[in-house]
Amino acid sequence: MATDTFARFLQECLVIEEDTDDGLDLDTLYGLYISWCGMAAVEREPEQAFLSSLRRHHLRWGRYEGSWVLVGLRMIGPAARDYVMCSAAPLCANGKADLSEVAGAAA
């Protein structure tokens, strides 16, 4: 993955909070990346290239409540909202949640 593309992802989608031990696990972070790629019209790189980019940016890993997380990372921006909506909705295609399947969503 091009370093400038990954740096853009970091800048647009994440903030680092220094005063916490909590953070984002790898699955969540990669899901956020997938949402961002769809919204930014950027070709998604395979998970291995994504991991390499994480290593190059020296993000800090730690244990939080028994799980490995990237410490202090918080999701922000439109891709974060898209990721959360798609994670909550039963069907999601191309970054758009299909809320018709959610109980009570029908008009």
Side-chain angles (χ1 to χ4, degrees):
M1 172 186 316
T3 301
D4 57 343
T5 301
F6 189 77
R8 182 176 155 212
F9 162 70
L10 292 175
Q11 181 179 15
E12 292 179 13
C13 298
L14 299 164
V15 294
I16 298 176
E17 296 179 352
E18 300 292 334
D19 61 345
T20 183
D21 292 330
D22 191 5
L24 298 176
D25 63 50
L26 184 58
D27 288 341
T28 300
L29 188 59
Y30 192 64
L32 175 63
Y33 168 72
I34 291 169
S35 290
W36 177 79
C37 287
M39 296 180 81
V42 172
E43 186 175 340
R44 177 177 57 173
E45 294 289 333
E47 193 169 349
Q48 201 58 31
F50 182 80
L51 288 171
S52 294
S53 293
L54 284 176
R55 282 190 288 277
R56 281 193 300 275
H57 280 78
H58 307 288
L59 298 172
R60 186 169 62 99
W61 287 94
R63 300 281 285 175
Y64 182 76
E65 295 183 356
S67 298
W68 284 103
V69 297
L70 288 147
V71 177
L73 288 187
R74 293 280 181 262
M75 297 187 289
I76 60 168
R81 286 187 296 277
D82 181 69
Y83 172 75
V84 170
M85 287 298 298
C86 286
S87 296
L91 298 174
C92 187
N94 298 324
K96 303 296 180 204
D98 181 358
L99 299 178
S100 64
E101 296 294 321
V102 177

